[in-house]
Amino acid sequence: MAADWEEIRRLAADFQRAQFAETVQRLSERNCIEIISKLVQDKKLDVVHTLDGKEFITPAQISREIRDELYVHGGRINVVELQQIINVDLVHVESRAGDIVKSDKGVRFVLGQLIDDSYLDGIAEEVNDKLQEAGLISMAELCKSYDLPGGFLTEELSKRLGKLIQGEMDQYNKGVIFTPAFVSRHKARIRGLFSAITRPTPVSGMVAAFGFQEHLLYSVLEELVNSGRLKGSVVGGRQDKATYIPDIYAKTQNVWVDSFLQQNGYLEFDALIRLGIPDPPSYIKKRFKSSGLLFLRAACVGKLLVDQVEASVEEAVSSATWTDIQPILPSCLSMEDVGMVINQAMRNVNVQDAARVLGGTVVVSEKFIGSCLSLFDESMRQKAQKEVKNNPVFLITEEDVKQASMLTESAAPSKKEKREAERRKKASEGSGSMKSGGGGNAREIRIRKTKKKGRKDEDSDEENGPLQQNRSKQSEVSFMAQEEIAAILEQRVSDCPEEVLSELAEHLVRPLTKSYQEVLRTVFMSSTSSASGVNKKRSMKELQEEIANLYNNIRLFEKSTKCFSDETQVYITKHVLKTVCTDVTNILVNFLAADLMMSVENPSSITNEVRLKILGKLAEETKAPLMKLHNSLNGKTIEDFLMNLEACAEVCGFMLKKGDKKKERQALFVHRQALMQQLQQAEDAALVLHLTSVLLFQASTHCMLHAPGRCVPQIISTLTGRITPEQQQLLLSYQSLVVKQLVSRSRKQQEDGDKAEEQEEEAQDVRRQLLSLTPQVKDLVSQRKTSVTEE
């Protein structure tokens, strides 16, 4: 033991000598740095060098210095500020700060700052002082004052409520802290204020008027209402529409609502809103759970009112009449609401199929509508007979044509054979006359009617399939316009509103049109089955003679146009095409329409539209030449029309013979006699001038003329040198008077006042002169006739 102590003393003496002895070998600063760097590289030493590179510091030292600085700064310091104080890289400061936060629960890292519990306790004490002074403090103000996040501050202050902070936080609004004394004061104010309210009052208005804290007000108000301290209720929840309704007002409301519903049988939502009930439907459903009210858009209707509507509807249906529901229902109901009531009543009594609503408020029985339809039966039958007689082409379908043809063929097959035999006989007669010779100018066209296979085979022709479908579509023929139907209903149906009659007429248009189609079909089929072929189709002999006469007349008219200038020839040609040529075309078309049961009594009544429709139903070999004839009516020359007429006559089985001199003279005589008869009966000055000019032209040129009134001046000019100068002067004077009369008539319609009186006097003078000259003008024709006879 003594030896050991001796050894220790010896070593201590050696160490002391070593300390005080002078250094024999010393390490330079650079060598120290290299040694430390090597140790750090080998991970045998953990140090951090400062930003200036002059010192090394261990992580533990950094942590100690961070804690020291946090304490020195009162428990809150920014990491950036720490980095400047410790003089190391920010990464190392943040790393050590994170380790401190993990190891010490009393330190928190918030928004780049280290905060410990001592600082938070200090804040809590300051907040408590402010709270006790003000009674209420907002978390938003604290966040702004201490520059801390709201969530963090709310959480930390909540932990200290009741300890360092003597107050409480609103459970609905975590952003407010208040003291019990503040709550008591507000509760007393709220209790007193709402106890004095006697009518519905918006809660938001109280907040603005008295400066209550909104969420606290709602909490206290609900508590007072639920405990029974306040006699009332809050409707609308915690919203801007929240309203406090005192029980005394609610009782008054309920009494008014109950009495109004009992007396009137309905409740209007707008009236309840004016009464202070913000949500009328919910209030009514809650108030009258088992009353069976019918809710509409703007009101609700009681069962008694609905029963009255049901009774009226049932009575209208059972008595086959109509009833207006509007007088039964309140005037405040809109048309939409009235419709909902009527529909509900009709569903309740199950009469949806037996009645309909017109005009929005009138319930009309289907039997009543049927009786209105029967009012038109007689007029429908009469109109159908008239239409079938005048315009059958617009009224029938392909099926009707086929059925009618079958009926006709089955009823009188021998008549068809007889007609064919008559055609063959006429054809043979025509050929015989050709051989016997009819003069050098006699040109005879012998025509045989081709067999119309297409007319029978149209239905089976696949290529004409789409065309046949088109033709089979029945065009809808209107019976009456809606206004006409309404006028008849107004005469026959009494006490019905005009609007209802108009809507009823609109509803009847389609059924009447459909019924009219059936009546048309029935009348057409009955007329077809009862009529004979002789009544439906003129005899071939009459048609042959009429077409031949018209053909020769057209040739003569065409010959007379050569006496005029080119411009006048155009006017005369168009006139001939639109009159005489159109007549002969209509005769041919009407002849072929008889085969389709579409012929009319008067061929001149056939219009372009009717003609095209008839042609569209013909077979192709018949249709093609007739379409050319139809198109030539709009052409520029009569020669083209005559060529097409000859081709059509061949198709139809007629013989066209070019007239000889004898027949031409006979045609001239007949034409002149007809014009003379018209002239004797004519009283209009313009017509007298027209007829006289044409007759004088025919007498002087021996050419038949068919010209429009606009060509009268040109006709008179061609008479120069063919009549005496006195006669020429008389015609020119008469013509100038006629022109003056026509001009004065047109001016009379435009002018009035003094000028009108002057025009009337002038017209009277012209009329007197015309009356005096008319007999002389008419005598010109007879004088001309006498001179021609003498020659």
Side-chain angles (χ1 to χ4, degrees):
M1 188 70 180
D4 293 335
W5 277 105
E6 188 64 29
E7 182 66 23
I8 291 172
R9 289 191 192 96
R10 187 179 59 80
L11 290 173
D14 291 341
F15 182 68
Q16 188 175 8
R17 282 195 303 270
Q19 285 180 334
F20 289 105
E22 293 184 2
T23 304
V24 179
Q25 293 181 344
R26 299 184 63 178
L27 293 175
S28 66
E29 184 177 350
R30 181 173 181 178
N31 292 334
C32 291
I33 293 173
E34 291 179 354
I35 291 171
I36 294 174
S37 298
K38 181 63 175 177
L39 292 173
V40 171
Q41 185 178 356
D42 294 341
K43 296 184 180 180
K44 294 181 179 178
L45 183 64
D46 187 10
V47 292
V48 176
H49 59 78
T50 59
L51 292 177
D52 55 9
K54 295 181 179 180
E55 296 179 352
F56 288 99
I57 184 170
T58 61
Q61 180 62 28
I62 294 175
S63 298
R64 282 194 297 271
E65 290 186 11
I66 289 175
R67 289 181 182 275
D68 293 343
E69 292 298 330
L70 181 61
Y71 176 79
V72 170
H73 284 79
R76 177 177 178 178
I77 188 170
N78 197 308
V79 175
V80 176
E81 189 178 350
L82 273 175
Q83 183 260 339
Q84 296 174 356
I85 295 172
I86 300 174
N87 196 24
V88 294
D89 192 82
L90 183 60
V91 176
H92 302 297
V93 176
E94 290 179 344
S95 176
R96 301 314 301 169
D99 293 340
I100 292 173
V101 170
K102 290 178 182 177
S103 61
D104 190 352
K105 294 182 179 181
V107 181
R108 294 159 185 80
F109 191 73
V110 180
L111 297 179
Q113 303 176 78
L114 286 175
I115 300 175
D116 62 6
D117 284 341
S118 63
Y119 177 77
L120 295 174
D121 292 341
I123 289 178
E125 291 175 357
E126 292 178 10
V127 168
N128 185 58
D129 293 340
K130 293 179 181 179
L131 181 62
Q132 299 306 321
E133 181 180 350
L136 174 71
I137 192 167
S138 171
M139 198 63 67
E141 295 178 3
L142 295 178
C143 291
K144 185 177 181 181
S145 175
Y146 293 104
D147 192 21
L148 289 173
F152 171 75
L153 195 57
T154 300
E155 181 182 357
E156 294 300 327
L157 294 182
S158 298
K159 296 177 182 178
R160 291 164 175 78
L161 288 176
K163 299 174 185 177
L164 296 177
I165 300 175
Q166 302 303 317
E168 58 186 58
M169 191 174 290
D170 189 353
Q171 58 180 345
Y172 293 103
N173 183 16
K174 300 293 185 179
V176 177
I177 302 176
F178 43 77
T179 62
F182 178 82
V183 174
S184 299
R185 287 197 305 273
H186 268 62
K187 190 173 184 178
R189 291 178 64 198
I190 292 169
R191 182 171 60 244
L193 177 62
F194 282 87
S195 296
I197 291 176
T198 58
R199 59 183 180 83
T201 304
V203 178
S204 58
M206 298 293 101
V207 174
F210 296 95
F212 290 120
Q213 206 285 325
E214 185 175 359
H215 293 279
L216 180 61
L217 172 62
Y218 283 118
S219 301
V220 172
L221 190 57
E222 287 181 4
E223 179 185 349
L224 293 174
V225 169
N226 293 335
S227 64
R229 177 61 183 81
L230 288 178
K231 303 298 182 181
S233 60
V234 179
V235 296
R238 290 173 171 257
Q239 300 175 358
D240 294 338
K241 295 182 180 180
T243 304
Y244 175 74
I245 303 176
D247 283 350
I248 185 171
Y249 185 82
K251 290 179 182 179
T252 307
Q253 278 183 336
N254 294 338
V255 171
W256 186 91
V257 171
D258 293 346
S259 62
F260 189 90
L261 180 61
Q262 185 176 3
Q263 292 174 9
N264 300 282
Y266 75 95
L267 288 173
E268 187 183 3
F269 295 159
D270 287 343
L272 297 186
I273 292 175
R274 290 193 297 270
L275 198 62
I277 300 173
D279 189 5
S282 302
Y283 169 82
I284 295 172
K285 290 176 182 178
K286 184 177 180 181
R287 179 72 180 165
F288 306 99
K289 293 182 179 179
S290 58
S291 298
L293 299 177
L294 175 62
F295 283 85
L296 309 175
R297 298 291 183 189
C300 66
V301 180
K303 194 173 185 307
L304 182 61
L305 209 55
V306 177
D307 291 342
Q308 293 178 11
V309 176
E310 291 177 3
S312 299
V313 171
E314 278 188 312
E315 182 181 358
V317 172
S318 60
S319 59
T321 181
W322 59 274
T323 182
D324 191 356
I325 306 298
Q326 184 66 53
I328 304 175
L329 298 176
S331 59
C332 65
L333 294 185
S334 64
M335 293 300 294
E336 185 180 5
D337 288 343
V338 171
M340 293 174 65
V341 174
I342 294 176
N343 291 332
Q344 182 63 40
M346 292 176 67
R347 282 195 296 269
N348 291 345
V349 296
N350 196 21
V351 293
Q352 298 97 315
D353 298 332
R356 66 182 62 215
V357 181
L358 298 178
T361 62
V362 178
V363 178
V364 182
S365 170
E366 291 290 350
K367 294 181 180 179
F368 176 77
I369 296 177
S371 65
C372 291
L373 287 172
S374 63
L375 297 175
F376 299 89
D377 289 347
E378 182 62 25
S379 58
M380 189 180 297
R381 185 182 60 79
Q382 294 176 359
K383 184 174 181 180
Q385 291 176 347
K386 184 178 178 181
E387 289 293 334
V388 168
K389 185 177 180 181
N390 294 333
N391 297 308
V393 68
F394 288 120
L395 311 176
I396 59 175
T397 61
E398 292 289 344
E399 289 76 9
D400 296 337
V401 173
K402 293 174 187 175
Q403 293 183 22
S405 300
M406 291 171 62
L407 287 171
T408 305
E409 290 174 4
S410 61
S414 60
K415 292 183 180 181
K416 185 175 181 181
E417 296 172 0
K418 192 174 181 180
R419 185 177 63 195
E420 293 296 333
E422 186 179 355
R423 290 183 185 176
R424 290 193 210 97
K425 182 179 178 182
K426 284 189 174 292
S428 62
E429 288 175 356
S431 62
S433 62
M434 180 70 176
K435 291 176 183 178
S436 61
N441 292 331
R443 180 169 66 90
E444 186 173 293
I445 302 171
R446 184 171 180 270
I447 297 142
R448 287 184 304 173
K449 186 176 180 183
T450 58
K451 191 174 182 181
K452 297 185 179 65
K453 294 181 180 179
R455 193 176 300 174
K456 294 183 179 179
D457 298 335
E458 273 181 355
D459 297 331
S460 61
D461 191 352
E462 294 181 358
E463 294 180 358
N464 291 339
L467 181 62
Q468 293 302 321
Q469 291 177 5
N470 255 346
R471 292 177 180 176
S472 64
K473 289 182 181 177
Q474 183 174 2
S475 60
E476 189 172 285
V477 181
S478 174
F479 170 59
M480 276 188 182
Q482 181 179 334
E483 294 76 11
E484 296 175 337
I485 297 174
I488 294 177
L489 290 176
E490 191 172 353
Q491 296 174 1
R492 307 290 292 274
V493 181
S494 59
D495 301 333
C496 197
E498 185 177 350
E499 298 80 6
V500 176
L501 286 177
S502 177
E503 191 169 344
L504 180 59
E506 183 181 0
H507 170 71
L508 292 180
V509 168
R510 194 163 190 82
L512 284 174
T513 301
K514 187 175 180 181
S515 301
Y516 183 55
Q517 295 285 341
E518 296 298 326
V519 172
L520 276 175
R521 182 183 177 87
T522 303
V523 172
F524 173 76
M525 297 305 296
S526 62
S527 63
T528 302
S529 59
S530 61
S532 64
V534 175
N535 295 331
K536 283 292 180 181
K537 207 167 184 182
R538 298 171 61 185
S539 67
M540 289 292 296
K541 185 176 181 179
E542 293 176 354
L543 283 174
Q544 173 74 41
E545 183 178 354
E546 183 175 4
I547 292 172
N549 290 336
L550 288 172
Y551 172 73
N552 287 319
N553 287 348
I554 294 170
R555 288 181 57 255
L556 293 174
F557 291 148
E558 192 266 340
K559 179 181 177 182
S560 67
T561 60
K562 302 296 189 295
C563 299
F564 296 92
S565 64
D566 292 342
E567 183 179 359
T568 307
Q569 284 186 33
V570 171
Y571 294 139
I572 297 176
T573 298
K574 287 185 178 179
H575 184 65
V576 173
L577 288 172
K578 288 185 178 180
T579 53
V580 185
C581 296
T582 300
D583 290 341
V584 70
T585 303
N586 288 340
I587 291 172
L588 286 174
V589 171
N590 195 47
F591 168 74
L592 295 175
D595 290 339
L596 302 174
M597 300 303 167
M598 296 182 184
S599 61
V600 296
E601 289 187 359
N602 185 13
S604 61
S605 64
I606 298 178
T607 62
N608 285 340
E609 185 182 4
V610 176
R611 193 185 308 125
L612 285 173
K613 184 152 188 175
I614 295 175
L615 293 177
K617 296 180 180 291
L618 298 177
E620 192 61 35
E621 64 265 21
T622 310
K623 175 182 176 182
L626 281 166
M627 281 300 296
K628 291 182 180 179
L629 183 66
H630 168 79
N631 294 332
S632 66
L633 293 176
N634 297 321
K636 297 181 179 180
T637 61
I638 299 176
E639 291 87 345
D640 291 344
F641 176 80
L642 291 173
M643 290 175 58
N644 290 316
L645 178 60
E646 293 167 1
C648 291
E650 182 179 357
V651 172
C652 297
F654 293 111
M655 222 170 16
L656 293 182
K657 186 185 294 185
K658 191 174 181 181
D660 52 16
K661 295 293 183 182
K662 182 179 179 180
K663 288 186 177 181
E664 287 183 4
R665 286 195 298 271
Q666 184 179 0
L668 284 168
F669 177 76
V670 172
H671 185 67
R672 187 177 190 284
Q673 290 301 113
L675 293 180
M676 286 290 293
Q677 186 177 359
Q678 290 184 42
L679 180 61
Q680 292 174 3
Q681 299 174 357
E683 295 181 359
D684 182 61
L687 181 59
V688 170
L689 179 64
H690 188 181
L691 293 172
T692 302
S693 304
V694 172
L695 283 167
L696 290 174
F697 177 85
Q698 180 174 333
S700 60
T701 61
H702 302 288
C703 292
M704 286 173 52
L705 180 63
H706 187 65
R710 65 187 299 177
C711 293
V712 169
Q714 289 82 355
I715 298 174
I716 294 175
S717 65
T718 59
L719 295 175
T720 304
R722 295 177 178 174
I723 58 177
T724 65
E726 292 79 8
Q727 294 174 336
Q728 180 84 15
Q729 185 61 37
L730 178 60
L731 279 179
L732 292 175
S733 301
Y734 197 75
Q735 178 190 353
S736 63
L737 289 173
V738 170
V739 172
K740 286 183 180 179
Q741 186 182 42
L742 295 176
V743 172
S744 63
R745 286 177 184 174
S746 61
R747 288 181 179 175
K748 184 179 179 181
Q749 297 176 355
Q750 300 175 358
E751 298 179 356
D752 51 7
D754 297 337
K755 291 185 178 181
E757 293 179 1
E758 295 178 4
Q759 292 291 340
E760 182 64 27
E761 292 178 1
E762 185 179 349
Q764 290 289 348
D765 184 47
V766 171
R767 196 177 299 115
R768 283 193 296 270
Q769 295 182 48
L770 286 173
L771 287 175
S772 64
L773 292 178
T774 297
Q776 301 178 35
V777 173
K778 288 184 177 181
D779 289 342
L780 290 177
V781 179
S782 59
Q783 293 174 9
R784 182 66 183 171
K785 180 179 179 182
T786 304
S787 64
V788 170
T789 305
E790 291 175 352
E791 292 174 0

